[in-house]
Amino acid sequence: MLKQTVDYAFQASSCVSLQPKSKLHPESLKRVKENKNGHCTKVMRSVNMENLTSVYLFPEISRREYEHSQRYPNAKIIKLGIGDTSEPIPECIASAMAKQALALSTVEGYSGYGDEQGNKALRKRIAEKFYKNMGIKGEEVFVSDGAQCDISRLQMLLGSHVTVAVQDPSFPAYIDSSVIFGRARNLQGQNGKYDRIVYMKCTPNNDFFPDLSNTPRTDIIFFCSPNNPTGTAASAAQLRRLVDFATANGSIIVYDSSYAAYISDGSPTSIYQIPGAKQVAIEISSFSKFAGFTGVRLGWTVVPEELSYSNGFPIIKDYDRIVCTCFNGASNIVQAGGLACLSDEGFQAVSRVVNYYKENANILAEAFRGLGMVVYGGQNAPYLWVHFPGSSSWELFADILEKTHIVTIPGRGFGPGGESYIRVSSFGHRETILEASERLTSLRKLNFN
Ligand code: MLT
């Protein structure tokens, strides 16, 4: 790898994302001191917030990207970091939203609050389209403003007493929201792990599927497939093992299928394809990466009626209670867009965009392979998981940004198991992806590998 100035400040401040603020940030201590000169309330800071790392991964990436743009004002920065969709929403879907918005300006078309759980027609359509022959009913589908918000609503539902396992690496919201809800204890400085969270290591050696024979029982298991960040989809046999493990342990799987639309190798698109899963799993999903709704905001959570607590009480009743208390339902305009996505025309149109991103992934994968790197993901997900054995992922991130003006995400940001990897998003216009590929290829001349 090229020797170059590494952004060590990043190491310190990013480890912001690895260490609680109070331990790592003299700045934060200074602010506390300064506040003593002014007015302070008598309210103590939540110990859970004290325990949380100070910066969430994605805003930190945006901050570094901004800093880079200030240092190189003439550089054309290519953003392959945060997984944000780039292609326009198909016209038939945007028109459905526009029509719904205009209807609000008429007496006949105006509507106020809708059902907190979502428009009945949309709930039914989601059940039919994504859970055909899986026995999921519209009443078990809760429409929302996105999977990320649902993760926190589920955390609220489950309470702070439960124990949690996550894939390592994993989408950072599972761990961070667990910390906020008081499930984690101290962050262990050496290995970057919270000591009440079980990290299920996922590497090429175990086909990115955890060794369940070595995994202690927890109440909750967060599981994302296709996985963000590794881009790998669990097979039916692997999910069978997961469901059996949860059943034997009396655990609940919170299954994130936000990237299911990207599956192209026949892997299951839902946990409910596995018989018995309805007794042990909640599924969250999203229109964001499937229909370009990252800004529009629409998702859903399935809570099967069969799923119950240890005392037999149906969890769906409590989830309904949480949703009614904490959420007033997704925007009626956006839900009209969701219905349009699930029409034949809309579904074909969004599928074309998904394929476009997968072609982007192929182009980028070839570029990294040309550098001699081993590349995972891309086939069933819009993310590549690129291995640089022995390297620090934060240094790699800084190296690549410095030399190519391409933003990626350091694997370490997704947990200790992400060290020596970077995640590369395939969202972007084709010309930008081709330019990124060229820039990466030119690194060979710089002896990058
Ligand atoms: C990502 O993994 O890049 C996310 O989807 C971005 C986010 O949720 O903010």
Side-chain angles (χ1 to χ4, degrees):
M1 204 178 82
L2 260 184
K3 299 225 180 331
Q4 68 148 78
T5 322
V6 168
D7 183 1
Y8 283 108
F10 168 77
Q11 291 270 354
S13 76
S14 75
C15 289
V16 186
S17 77
L18 304 175
Q19 297 275 339
K21 194 185 225 175
S22 54
K23 286 196 186 143
L24 251 180
H25 277 278
E27 269 305 302
S28 118
L29 297 174
K30 198 170 126 210
R31 277 200 298 276
V32 170
K33 210 170 158 203
E34 279 165 6
N35 276 351
K36 283 192 179 151
N37 299 326
H39 174 76
C40 289
T41 69
K42 294 182 178 171
V43 180
M44 272 183 63
R45 188 173 184 217
S46 151
V47 285
N48 300 334
M49 293 308 293
E50 285 282 351
N51 209 18
L52 188 66
T53 56
S54 65
V55 185
Y56 188 55
L57 175 65
F58 301 112
E60 176 61 19
I61 297 297
S62 301
R63 190 187 67 75
R64 286 167 190 279
E65 184 184 304
Y66 175 75
E67 258 180 24
H68 188 79
S69 73
Q70 296 302 102
R71 271 197 294 134
Y72 298 97
N74 297 322
K76 184 186 163 209
I77 296 177
I78 297 181
K79 301 178 186 184
L80 306 181
I82 297 168
D84 197 3
T85 46
S86 58
E87 299 311 293
I89 292 172
E91 201 272 340
C92 60
I93 298 165
S95 298
M97 289 191 275
K99 195 169 155 209
Q100 175 69 30
L102 273 179
L104 294 176
S105 71
T106 66
V107 172
E108 306 74 39
Y110 177 75
S111 61
Y113 290 124
D115 292 342
E116 291 88 345
Q117 303 84 351
N119 166 339
K120 285 188 184 56
L122 179 57
R123 298 172 80 191
K124 183 165 177 282
R125 194 74 194 112
I126 289 173
E128 288 165 356
K129 193 78 189 165
F130 296 110
Y131 303 102
K132 197 170 169 207
N133 302 326
M134 296 178 218
I136 298 294
K137 296 183 285 220
E139 295 74 29
E140 296 167 305
V141 175
F142 293 80
V143 175
S144 73
D145 51 350
Q148 184 148 352
C149 312
D150 280 351
I151 292 168
S152 287
R153 283 188 277 263
L154 284 172
Q155 299 281 29
M156 202 182 294
L157 167 86
L158 296 164
S160 56
H161 60 288
V162 296
T163 50
V164 169
V166 294
Q167 289 154 292
D168 181 24
S170 70
F171 183 55
Y174 311 139
I175 291 183
D176 285 13
S177 61
S178 296
V179 176
I180 290 170
F181 281 88
R183 312 260 176 65
R185 288 292 175 269
N186 299 326
L187 188 66
Q188 298 157 12
Q190 287 304 310
N191 62 15
K193 294 181 179 176
Y194 284 98
D195 61 13
R196 273 193 67 211
I197 290 188
V198 170
Y199 293 74
M200 305 186 294
K201 201 159 188 169
C202 296
T203 69
N205 293 340
N206 59 14
D207 197 17
F208 293 103
F209 186 80
D211 178 358
L212 297 174
S213 68
N214 277 335
T215 304
R217 181 204 175 270
T218 55
D219 296 311
I220 310 302
I221 303 165
F222 280 100
F223 198 92
C224 179
S225 179
N227 184 266
N228 178 9
T230 66
T232 48
S235 67
Q238 288 170 332
L239 291 181
R240 173 76 270 160
R241 297 211 293 275
L242 182 67
V243 168
D244 288 345
F245 179 73
T247 307
N249 286 328
S251 306
I252 297 173
I253 301 164
V254 175
Y255 189 82
D256 186 343
S257 64
S258 295
Y259 296 93
Y262 289 78
I263 291 180
S264 52
D265 70 354
S267 298
T269 51
S270 163
I271 190 73
Y272 302 121
Q273 279 171 251
I274 310 301
K278 286 201 286 174
Q279 280 81 19
V280 295
I282 291 171
E283 181 164 312
I284 51 184
S285 205
S286 171
F287 283 77
S288 287
K289 313 294 161 63
F290 147 67
F293 274 29
T294 48
V296 174
R297 308 305 307 150
L298 193 66
W300 72 90
T301 288
V302 177
V303 186
E305 286 170 355
E306 288 92 329
L307 187 68
S308 70
Y309 296 109
S310 56
N311 66 358
F313 190 84
I315 294 179
I316 187 171
K317 290 198 175 179
D318 275 0
Y319 193 60
D320 191 83
R321 185 73 172 83
I322 293 275
V323 167
C324 291
T325 308
C326 308
F327 186 52
N328 263 335
S331 148
N332 45 18
I333 298 169
V334 172
Q335 292 191 75
L339 265 173
C341 290
L342 303 183
S343 68
D344 289 346
E345 186 188 1
F347 198 79
Q348 277 170 22
V350 293
S351 302
R352 278 194 291 277
V353 182
V354 164
N355 284 334
Y356 177 92
Y357 292 134
K358 285 204 294 190
E359 285 164 14
N360 282 352
N362 270 334
I363 294 168
L364 291 169
E366 280 312 305
F368 280 106
R369 289 195 182 106
L371 293 175
M373 300 303 157
V374 178
V375 180
Y376 302 95
Q379 189 195 1
N380 294 315
Y383 299 126
L384 304 178
W385 189 237
V386 189
H387 198 190
F388 294 76
S391 303
S392 146
S393 66
W394 282 112
E395 289 180 17
L396 286 165
F397 166 86
D399 250 6
I400 293 171
L401 184 58
E402 191 69 25
K403 297 203 163 45
T404 65
H405 305 300
I406 295 175
V407 181
T408 58
I409 297 201
R412 189 70 169 79
F414 297 94
E419 191 54 286
S420 84
Y421 288 86
I422 54 158
R423 193 197 75 173
V424 181
S425 153
S426 67
F427 296 115
H429 303 313
R430 182 60 48 83
E431 62 271 21
T432 310
I433 297 294
L434 289 170
E435 184 169 345
S437 164
E438 266 173 39
R439 289 189 200 174
L440 289 165
T441 304
S442 74
L443 285 177
R444 203 190 322 226
K445 298 187 202 116
L446 298 172
N447 194 23
F448 186 77
N449 53 344

